[in-house]
Amino acid sequence: MTHWFEGPLAAFDTETTGVDVEQDRIVSAALVAQDTAGGRVRVTRWLVNPGVPVPPGATDVHGLTDDHLQRNGRWPAPVMDEMARALAESCASGRPLVVMNAPFDLTLLDRELRRHRASSLARYLDGTPMRVVDPRVLDKHLDRYRKGRRTLTDLCARYEVVLDGAHDAAADATASLELVRAVCRRFSTRLERLSPAELHTLQATWHAAQARGLEAWFAKSGTPETVDPSWPLRPELPAAA
């Protein structure tokens, strides 16, 4: 029997002006789809002129400069509409959606839709369920006592997944997709009987527990910090940008 994680998957990734989902902007994004493990990957890319300066620190990460985005990027409003429609269509097809650190990318897209379209990701989905698979949440739950960082680069090295061109949205999305396949294969005895919908529900619980554990660690270290337990999308703040 072929397991779902060997079949159709899609993956979404963004590059941004920073790490604040309420204030920062998307400068590039990609949605990749693959019908079967080892099959051809189809890539949709977006390049955005965010309308705000890109901090040098962000450019150092993804290489996208103000000049390049102003010359080649498109205005955010139509691009955010295209992204949201593409995600909604992918979810409607029943494909599990792979998003590494989902609360960041999906929340940021939701905030951009509110900012530029007076809408939300939920409105575009229109009741269509997202079946999100987050390799970061999976790895932290399934191999919880392993020490070390769990960035995309770290996890790809751990699971022997090729990551060519890190911090390019299409490259990161493709690697995240392959990472989910690799993680699920390694822990197949614990995952193979779960449907994507069941796994989605479990990841929300796992992420909340991981957030509580991280908060406890911060408190023990003398640097208290609040960690949002919401997954895969953070709720709108009353004063969201």
Side-chain angles (χ1 to χ4, degrees):
M1 182 181 78
T2 301
H3 302 303
W4 64 264
F5 49 81
E6 301 290 359
L9 292 178
F12 179 68
D13 187 76
T14 66
E15 298 300 328
T16 69
T17 60
V19 297
D20 184 342
V21 296
E22 303 298 339
Q23 300 293 336
D24 281 306
R25 311 298 175 90
I26 295 173
V27 295
S28 70
L31 179 67
V32 305
Q34 189 181 44
D35 292 332
T36 186
R40 182 174 66 90
V41 174
R42 300 185 300 280
V43 180
T44 304
R45 301 172 185 264
W46 294 276
L47 190 67
V48 187
N49 178 354
V52 299
V54 180
T59 296
D60 289 343
V61 172
H62 49 58
L64 297 171
T65 65
D66 281 327
D67 181 66
H68 179 77
L69 293 171
Q70 289 168 11
R71 289 174 179 271
N72 301 286
R74 297 164 57 205
W75 288 113
V79 181
M80 299 309 153
D81 176 72
E82 289 177 15
M83 284 185 204
R85 288 181 185 277
L87 286 188
E89 289 173 7
S90 182
C91 291
S93 75
R95 289 177 185 269
L97 179 65
V98 174
V99 190
M100 174 75 181
N101 192 17
F104 179 78
D105 294 83
L106 295 181
T107 303
L108 192 54
L109 175 57
D110 177 78
R111 303 309 191 253
E112 288 278 54
L113 290 168
R114 294 174 188 274
R115 183 178 293 119
H116 297 292
R117 305 292 304 187
S119 188
S120 67
L121 185 55
R123 289 182 188 174
Y124 277 84
L125 292 169
D126 192 26
T128 299
M130 284 196 300
R131 297 177 177 87
V132 177
V133 188
D134 188 333
R136 186 169 182 267
V137 173
L138 289 183
D139 176 72
K140 288 184 73 173
H141 177 77
L142 296 166
D143 199 0
R144 68 181 70 182
Y145 300 114
R146 189 182 81 248
K147 295 182 178 180
R149 304 191 329 152
R150 299 178 193 249
T151 66
L152 179 60
T153 300
D154 296 319
L155 293 184
C156 284
R158 175 76 179 178
Y159 291 92
E160 300 181 342
V161 170
V162 175
L163 173 55
D164 285 330
H167 300 297
D168 168 83
D172 286 357
T174 302
S176 296
L177 186 152
E178 294 296 342
L179 182 58
V180 161
R181 297 198 194 279
V183 172
C184 289
R185 287 169 188 150
R186 183 169 298 186
F187 295 98
S188 61
T189 56
R190 299 168 63 181
L191 299 174
E192 62 188 4
R193 295 185 181 182
L194 296 173
S195 69
E198 291 169 331
L199 186 58
H200 178 104
T201 301
L202 284 171
Q203 286 171 102
T205 301
W206 297 343
H207 180 270
Q210 291 162 8
R212 291 192 297 270
L214 189 55
E215 275 195 355
W217 183 87
F218 281 132
K220 187 176 180 180
S221 302
T223 55
E225 186 173 328
T226 300
V227 182
D228 196 316
S230 304
W231 183 96
L233 182 69
R234 296 178 187 174
E236 182 187 13
L237 296 178

